[in-house]
Amino acid sequence: MRNYSLIFINGRKHVVKGRDAFLTLSEFLRKTLKLAGTKIVCSEGDCGSCSVLCGKNSGENNGQEEPIRYQAIDSCIRFVFQLDCCHIITVEGLAEEPDGKKLTKEPCADQLSNLQKSMVDCHGSQCGFCTPGFVVAMTAVLEQNPDPSIEDWRHELTGNLCRCTGYAPIIDAAMQASTLPSPSLNQRYPVTKMAEAVRLVQEDTIQIQAQDFENVMQTVACPRTIEEAVEFLAEHPDAKIVAGGTDVGVQFNKGSQQPQFWLDLNRVESLTKLSVTDQAIQAGACTTWTDLENTVETVAPEFHKIISVFGSPQVRHVGTIGGNIINASPIADSLPLYFVCDAELELTSKSGTRVVNINDFYLGYKQLDLHPGELLTGVNIPLPGHDTDLRLYKVSRRRDMDISTFTAAICIERSGDTIAEARIAYGAVGPVVLRLKQTETFLQGRTFDLETMQAAGEIAVKEITPISDVRGGQDFRLQLAKNVLVKFYHEMMTEGAIA
Amino acid sequence: MNKLFALRKDGTAIDPREKGSVGRTIPHDSAIGHVAGCAPFIDDLPRREDELFVGFVGSPIASGTIEAIHIEAAEKVDGVVCVLTAKDVGEHNQFGPIICDEPFLADSEVIYVGQPIVLIAAETSDALKRALKLVEIETVAAKPVLTIKEAVEQESHIGPRRQIRRGDPDQAIANATHQLSGQFEIGGQEQFYLESQVAASYPAEQGQLVVHSSTQNTTEIQAVVAEVLGISMHQVVCVCKRMGGAFGGKETQAVIPALMVALVTQVTGRAARIAYDKDTDMCVTGKRHAYLCKWSVGFDSDGIISGLKCNYFSDGGATADLSTSIMERTLLHTDNAYYIENFEASGQVCRTNKPPNTAFRGFGGPQGVAATENIIERIAEHLKIDAFNVRVQNLYGIADRNVTPYGQYFSSNHLPEILNTLASTSDYENRVAQIRTRNQEDPLFLRGISMTPVKFGISFTSKFLNQANALVNVYTDGTVQVSTGGTEMGQGLNTKIRQIVADEFGIDYTNVIVMPTSTEKNNNTSPTAASAGTDLNGAAAANACAKIKKRMADFAATLFASAEEGLIPSPQHIVFENGCVRDSRQPTETIAFADLANRARLERIDIGSRGFYKTPGVDFNRDTGRGNPFLYFTQGAAVAEVKIDRFTGDLAVTRVDLLMDIGKSINPGVDMGQITGGFIQGMGWVTAECLVYDERGALLSHSPTTYKIPAITDVPPDFRCEMFPNNDNLHTIRRSKAVGEPPLLLGVAAWAAVKNALSYLPRTTDPQLCLPATGEEILRCISQQTAGVSST
């Protein structure tokens, strides 16, 4: 049993115990380590100013040390205890000749990375407050893709807000950096020494305790297996479960989450298994959105489209498929698809595993058919056949990095001009994501034409109970509920015309 | 290409062929620090050993009275050093830049949700967090005024109604061939500087204290801290090294956090720091004013406007702040780029129970321009002609039709050329035709396009603010430190001043460093605002350099004088360039600038100086609404094309072409960053950013989760920005022009393009598109407009 997290920061090993392990990474960097280059703006993963590079050191695999795969994450919504055996590179660790020490003085231009130099040359910084986050996120992009296009850059930087530049100079800098060599982070921070330290401790079970700011004792368990996880959950059924932490972290920062017991799933490798075929997506509950984004494009292009506007890269790198389900928000981007596909959820407890259809899982607002001690361990999404028309819709105030105002999945099987079967699910129109049974029944057997779809819209609005909130008014949502059916029709017709 | 030349520390090449640095794209002076994460902001500074964490508890209600404040439990928390309320503030608990009406800590009455009431200072952030939760405030709520409409009904006003009028607009409208009128609602906007409000203070000797503030206005902080603390101005030093963005939001509103730490330092004798979190910042600080504009216009069948009336009401929030001055700029920009013979713009600031609204890039100008551009689009729709024709026909003339409604002659008018050039480079006419066709064919998307111009007046409309001073110190190794009252918020002011000063002395810009802004070095400064930062502070710095150069030239002249060659000492022949000083009559002999500086000191010649500048010729009488408020106008135009999802209202700005006249740019890289950044910020205001309040007057959209500024994917995929080169701005330093605010107003083009798109739909009623044109607002208009019209 280990009572600390082992993490590496800019190449240097840190043993983190007690209260520090319960801090967000950004607090730990800024307050404990005095690395103030990482900035905090929103404390909710929406602005990217706190971005750092994070890579898991796997110790070794078949005697080979694997290179670390670095990704940008939001350090303000990542707890230190989630980072065991990870290497964190902050903005201070990007200038040349990293020696694991805090950068004590301003580097010269020739010590900067080519990406940093490009940001200087192209006036990619104005006030400079978002700049460290951008530099980190951009470094991560180059690490994965040595020659990104403008579209790649735009897609990969949706998690970083800048209020000064209008982004154009940042895009210029990015494109300039694309043409220049960028040495890999694995060269600059050799994995060997870190792997040695990791091998010694990576099999340990971890449990860390500390008093919180109100002197209440907190305990976190970071198990390695599902068995250990459900064991802890059986003892502490009210434990807060953390996987990606992209929502829990926000609630913690905003003061609405002070659990005594935490169960962290980041070390449970069996929860990240992913199998994608033409027939189905079978994902462990801790499969990240990034892993899904990278694998589902051909088998489920509509799902891929929604994933690509799900949060930001920083959120997708850590956020999990299971988290979006258990979080039980009626505005969760991913849910409508599962509803029309009759996705199955695998729930595991000490006493075994049961499977629940997602259509039966949500009992009310944030109320789940989840027994005490049960853990969501897997999701099985049967995919519709090629002859089925499926469209997923997300309407939000902003296209990227935004929470839905309205979501929908429309799935129609046609035989000739006749609708053989319709499955429709809407989100953000009531306390839970909803299947529109009356609308589905209405559509079945009718001719697929504009009139039918307009009439279906009139039925749809009677099945839903949207409210007005900060993301949109009731009238807007009702109008959308009608309109997406008509939009679906026109999309099918337009596509037909092109084909 | 850099390899030919030696490199500077900032990585740029030293090319001896280049004369001077003004006009060149050199890096922002903090760029390396920014990208390496080692340019410290206030909350990044190491803590002093005795430094206290400061936080506050604000009002739970928007309007009412405080019945009791319970602080006993908070005081008992281990680590809490003091808990302060209005009782602990001296007799001066009020401040305000124009009208002294804003309380520092609420005493008996509360006027907006979150208004600071209780201040806590603690040894640790944990203790502070615990204590803040234990404060209880009992209030009795009154009915708040939350909207402009309510304020208008209740005549809840701040300041007098102001007006600018020319001719007889009522008669002109009545006599016109066509009349239109309507109401236009314009939303507010959060500045969303990334660095939230922050201040730190520590005590010094003789009752002094030093305040580090993220402020655009060090003098204001100094003065208000002295006033509220009951000490003298010479006992307060305010320092600002840099801000993580400001955009007007730190022109006045940095005062409260600065007062908080200053009071804690005064009470405890210890260092103190407060850093708002983003939610708090957004909830309790003021924003761009929401406006309501009631308008009427008369025009002929070509769209030429004969009479215009715009009557504005702005949401000033709970106290005056800068609202009356902001309304003034709205009235001064209602003409935008158009000559309108019979004109009336009038405005009243309304008092509501929201945080005092304040400066935000454009300072009321954007609302005036948006109101007018809305009217132009309406005229075009009404006459079924393209809005570009309406705009061109109404533009200010060059030889005639060139006097503004407030009586200022509009000289150096480049607008006709800018609009025509942009129409051609953006292929405007063809794209209008393409859009017309596509809108008939595409069942899914609706497209629109619009070009809007801007003519933005440069200078503070309050005359006394148009001044600046600078301190320039030359050292004996030939390097220079410059200090001005201008503050760096990312806009590149320090970089431009560095270039100006380097060129004055003919030395490399890396030999010049611009120092942190401090009231210790520059007294009685104006806020860095009104886009005039470089105009004022750059000119003051150049003035200081000129004084030093005069002394150095007099001295150098004696060194170059040669009895043998018959050359008498002649200071007017002394030239400073390429790091050397020479006599132009003897081009081969030079003295290094550093040598001359050193020798000057040995000869007891002063090589440091203060400089001063005041903008000549500006004056405006706000009572009569007439005068010459502006030194000149920055001009430009934008074409925006939009694509709208007919079924969701989802908006994409697909292409934007900008053309800006910014005179002779001192640093094209810096200025282009202002243009792209300003435009996108303006585009955010007109298309996306939505302030949502609940029925109690609390802001619901108080973080980036719910308040959506443009993201990188909102930047138009085709975004073309050009400068309009010219050399005729003789009024300012190095013939440059102010660039901070004007590009923001070009964002209005994106809104006008939405309006244009909607004009392609059949209609039974005019849905009166509001600003911002969010997806929700656009869908409202589409639905309302097409209700009853058979769908295609």
Side-chain angles (χ1 to χ4, degrees), chain A residues 38 221 463:
Chain A
T38 303
E463 293 194 75

Side-chain angles (χ1 to χ4, degrees), chain A residues 180-329:
Chain A
L180 301 170
S182 58
S184 95
L185 296 169
N186 277 289
Q187 277 168 21
R188 293 168 63 184
Y189 291 101
V191 72
T192 315
K193 238 176 112 182
M194 289 188 273
E196 275 170 27
V198 164
R199 278 196 292 273
L200 294 173
V201 300
Q202 66 181 352
E203 302 295 335
D204 299 348
T205 46
I206 301 178
Q207 215 172 93
I208 309 172
Q209 289 196 316
Q211 286 185 332
D212 74 2
F213 79 99
E214 286 177 311
N215 299 330
V216 176
M217 187 60 79
Q218 295 177 291
T219 303
V220 63
C222 313
R224 295 275 293 169
T225 63
I226 292 174
E227 292 69 32
E228 286 172 20
V230 294
E231 183 80 31
F232 184 81
L233 206 52
E235 280 171 47
H236 307 288
D238 56 343
K240 190 73 201 172
I241 298 166
V242 199
T246 55
D247 195 49
V248 178
V250 178
Q251 293 171 33
F252 175 84
N253 287 333
K254 311 274 160 156
S256 65
Q257 203 52 258
Q258 296 292 338
Q260 269 179 271
F261 293 96
W262 301 79
L263 173 60
D264 168 54
L265 301 177
N266 275 283
R267 302 172 74 222
V268 187
E269 274 170 29
S270 59
L271 286 175
T272 57
K273 279 189 191 140
L274 175 63
S275 145
V276 177
T277 67
D278 281 357
Q279 279 80 45
I281 298 169
Q282 288 180 292
C286 290
T287 305
T288 64
W289 292 110
T290 297
D291 285 342
L292 284 161
E293 188 182 8
N294 291 340
T295 45
V296 304
E297 185 163 11
T298 46
V299 300
E302 280 294 297
F303 192 30
H304 183 264
K305 185 185 80 185
I306 290 295
I307 295 172
S308 72
V309 292
F310 184 111
S312 63
Q314 284 89 331
V315 167
R316 295 196 288 273
H317 291 152
V318 295
T320 65
I321 189 169
N324 206 228
I325 292 169
I326 293 295
N327 188 36
S329 168

